[in-house]
Amino acid sequence: MSPLPEAELVRSSVQLYRYLLRCCRRLPAGPIQQYYRHAIRQSFKVHADEDDPERIQQIIKRAIEDADWVMNK
């Protein structure tokens, strides 16, 4: 099960970014939220120059799986 029902609608990096930030809002307030928001931003900066559509889809899929794991933790 995905952390939010919109997970299957994520197709672009901008949609993924917004989706992950919405997931963060469901985490307990404070340092945990700040940590994951920072991690999301850093990850997007690292992958900003990615231009291979197949690789982008792999990154999106993995990010959603990771968000699912964090939300169920």
Side-chain angles (χ1 to χ4, degrees):
M1 179 167 162
S2 298
L4 292 176
E6 306 94 38
E8 61 275 353
L9 302 176
V10 174
R11 299 281 180 245
S12 70
S13 56
V14 173
Q15 290 173 332
L16 177 64
Y17 187 76
R18 293 180 65 191
Y19 171 79
L20 293 174
L21 290 179
R22 282 193 301 271
C23 286
C24 278
R25 286 189 219 138
R26 296 177 61 199
L27 294 171
I32 296 172
Q33 253 187 22
Q34 291 173 354
Y35 170 81
Y36 283 108
R37 287 175 60 101
H38 178 73
I40 291 166
R41 287 187 185 112
Q42 291 302 109
S43 182
F44 273 83
K45 288 178 185 177
V46 167
H47 295 291
D49 61 344
E50 189 66 56
D51 59 357
D52 179 19
E54 185 176 317
R55 175 71 179 132
I56 292 170
Q57 291 305 311
Q58 289 174 346
I59 293 169
I60 289 172
K61 182 177 183 281
R62 178 61 191 256
I64 291 172
E65 290 171 357
D66 290 348
D68 186 31
W69 182 82
V70 168
M71 299 303 289
N72 288 326
K73 191 166 91 166

